[in-house]
């Protein structure tokens, strides 16, 4: 595939891991990663970085557990991501599907235990999936390190804003970067919450994600998600605790985000109820960002606009993509290289 070119727009964790995987898989393919100079603005810089294997949705479970297995097995990825293994608890109303738990055991042997109501940590009415091999990472550090390695391996990093995407008569995809046209055999938009603006009408939406970091005393919980209330969190930094609940604010402009005080109230009210032993002394700061949502959920390569045949998106579809990005990027790089080798 000498001389074939793939363009990836967006150097968040998702686009950067994809570009890096492509470069690792085939050095004969030219890979160009394009982002504005301030790639700090995306979801990756704001991410809480909780990583676990379990998810009620089978594909999400496969990608999250495979990502975590690869991260744990690689000294490099562990160091790059600042992985901290603290364990994780997923609280839910039922015991979880046995096939899901068997798959988790296959991918992360010895990690998972289940607890019934009364035995579950924190809430007497919940079932819990307790994972030993889980914790949190810094998605931003992982992105920065992978980006540096991509450049070391000869990947091309271009600074600028992608726009004016179109299909060329010769079957290539082109886009403009700050007034300059660039052409590729295949193009991928990994532009996170900016995807709906680039592909209006294609079913992509933005959604607000907000969490707070609070001063904490008493018993600070291990990283957890309570599926019933939506409350999630993890310890730190320092003697603080990170806590959040999902919002239902869609279609916001990722450049104009404001904290939602109602979400702060709901978070503290739920945290007090779910963790009676946790003292929340005050709010240190609020983090507000946006992510890209579409159906079906989960980070995957999707054909983009029908009018541009060799254009794809690679975006979350449901938030929470940091924990699935390592494996999803590997899968998607393989599909893209296959697509290049066997043109439609
Ligand atoms: C507050 C918050 C907390 C989260 N917590 C967790 C968690 O605990 N665990 C977990 O697994 N996931 C979590 N997530 C989700 C996860 O972090 C995101 O799904 C993931 O970071 C998305 O990465 P991305 O690369 O798709 O998007 P982004 O990081 O937003 O990157 C998109 C990039 O595209 C660039 N871009 C946009 N438009 C253009 C253009 N026209 N031209 C060039 N470049 C462009 C932007 O500059 C940006 O760098 C959280 C998300 C948020 C917002």
């Amino acid at each position: 595939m000498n001389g074939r070119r793939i363009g990836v727009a967006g150097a968040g964790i998702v686009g950067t891991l994809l570009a890096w995987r492509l470069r690792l898989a085939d050095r004969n393919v030219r890979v160009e990663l394009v982002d504005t100079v301030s790639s700090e603005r995306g979801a990756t810089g704001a991410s809480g970085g909780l990583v676990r294997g379990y998810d009620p949705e089978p594909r999400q479970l496969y990608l999250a557990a495979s990502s975590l297995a690869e991260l744990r097995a690689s000294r490099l990825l562990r160091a790059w991501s600042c992985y901290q293994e603290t364990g994780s608890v997923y609280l839910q109303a039922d015991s979880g599907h046995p096939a899901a738990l068997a798959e988790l055991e296959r991918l992360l042997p010895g990690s998972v235990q289940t607890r019934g109501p009364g035995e579950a940590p924190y809430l007497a009415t919940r079932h819990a999936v307790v994972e030993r091999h889980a914790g949190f990472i810094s998605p931003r550090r992982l992105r920065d390190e992978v980006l540096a390695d991509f450049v070391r391996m000869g990947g091309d990093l271009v600074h600028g804003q992608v726009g004016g995407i179109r299909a060329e008569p010769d079957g290539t995809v082109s886009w403009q970067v700050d007034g300059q046209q660039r052409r590729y055999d295949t193009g991928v938009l990994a532009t996170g919450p900016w995807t709906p603006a680039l592909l209006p009408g294609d079913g992509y939406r933005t959604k607000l994600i907000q969490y707070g970091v609070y001063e904490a005393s008493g018993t600070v919980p291990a990283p957890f998600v309570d599926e019933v209330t939506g409350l999630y969190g993890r310890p730190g930094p320092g003697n603080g605790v990170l806590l959040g609940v999902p919002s239902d604010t869609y279609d916001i402009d990722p450049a104009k985000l404001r904290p939602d005080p109602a979400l702060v109230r709901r978070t503290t009210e739920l945290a007090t109820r779910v963790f009676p032993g946790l003292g929340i002394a005050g709010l240190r700061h609020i983090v507000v960002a946006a992510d890209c949502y579409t159906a079906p959920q989960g980070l995957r390569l999707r054909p983009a606009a029908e009018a541009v045949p060799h254009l794809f998106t690679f975006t979350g579809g449901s938030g929470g993509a940091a924990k699935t990005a390592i494996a999803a990027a590997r899968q998607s790089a393989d599909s893209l290289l296959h697509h290049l080798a066997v043109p439609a």
Side-chain angles (χ1 to χ4, degrees):
M1 286 193 278
N2 266 345
R4 309 301 296 270
R5 286 168 62 88
I6 299 180
V8 179
I13 192 168
V14 162
T16 304
L17 277 168
L18 178 66
W20 181 68
R21 289 289 199 195
L22 285 164
R23 195 71 200 141
L24 279 176
D26 191 337
R27 302 283 172 112
N28 294 316
V29 174
R30 296 284 305 273
V31 184
E32 190 170 279
L33 181 59
V34 188
D35 205 316
T36 57
V37 181
S38 62
S39 57
E40 304 306 310
R41 60 190 182 139
T44 300
S47 182
L50 294 166
V51 290
R52 61 170 195 275
Y54 182 71
D55 194 281
E57 203 278 316
R59 185 173 178 277
Q60 286 282 85
L61 184 150
Y62 174 76
L63 291 176
S66 304
S67 294
L68 192 47
E70 184 174 346
L71 178 78
R72 293 187 72 253
S74 160
R75 193 161 5 137
L76 204 60
L77 288 176
R78 282 201 314 273
W80 282 356
S81 66
C82 308
Y83 175 57
Q84 297 201 40
E85 187 154 287
T86 52
S88 160
V89 180
Y90 191 94
L91 299 163
Q92 55 188 3
D94 57 34
S95 58
H97 203 284
L101 299 169
E103 176 72 339
L104 191 52
E105 177 59 27
R106 183 180 76 79
L107 294 165
L108 289 165
S111 179
V112 68
Q113 284 186 349
T114 54
R115 307 261 168 80
E119 314 158 350
Y122 315 132
L123 266 190
T125 53
R126 302 278 197 274
H127 293 259
V129 177
V130 180
E131 290 173 76
R132 200 153 59 92
H133 302 321
F136 55 90
I137 62 169
S138 165
R140 179 192 193 143
R141 279 291 302 275
L142 178 59
R143 187 270 313 275
D144 290 350
E145 296 287 350
V146 170
L147 185 57
D149 201 48
F150 168 73
V151 172
R152 273 195 297 273
M153 286 193 297
D156 299 318
L157 178 63
V158 172
H159 288 303
Q161 178 101 12
V162 168
I165 302 159
R166 59 178 222 208
E168 295 296 332
D170 64 359
T172 57
V173 179
S174 78
W175 57 47
Q176 301 279 325
V177 178
D178 295 342
Q180 249 205 339
Q181 193 192 45
R182 311 189 79 88
R183 281 187 187 220
Y184 312 96
D185 296 286
T186 302
V188 182
L189 300 179
T191 40
W194 286 271
T195 310
L198 285 167
L199 296 174
D202 261 25
Y204 296 93
R205 302 181 77 184
T206 54
K207 186 179 178 186
L208 180 113
I209 304 183
Q210 174 178 310
Y211 62 77
V213 177
Y214 300 82
E215 287 297 334
S217 59
T219 313
V220 177
F224 73 94
V225 175
D226 178 24
E227 191 190 71
V228 178
T229 60
L231 184 72
Y232 60 86
R234 68 165 171 86
N239 57 353
V241 63
L242 180 161
L243 293 166
V245 287
S247 81
D248 53 10
T249 308
Y250 284 91
D251 305 324
I252 35 146
D253 180 342
K256 292 183 189 152
L257 298 166
R258 287 162 166 268
D260 177 352
L263 279 180
V264 177
R265 282 195 297 277
R266 183 163 161 69
T267 302
T268 46
E269 185 260 313
L270 277 174
T272 314
R273 183 142 52 90
V274 175
F275 304 110
L278 171 68
I280 299 177
L283 181 60
R284 275 192 208 160
H285 64 269
I286 300 180
V287 173
V288 190
D291 210 346
C292 182
Y293 281 65
T294 193
Q297 66 165 310
L299 179 56
R300 64 181 78 206
L301 201 62
R302 302 166 212 259
E306 256 175 48
V308 191
H310 300 294
L311 181 70
F312 296 84
T313 65
F314 186 47
T315 186
S318 54
K323 64 180 169 300
T324 57
I326 291 175
R330 178 168 17 85
Q331 267 190 357
S332 299
D334 290 348
S335 308
L336 281 170
L337 293 172
H338 180 73
H339 175 85
L340 266 192
V342 189

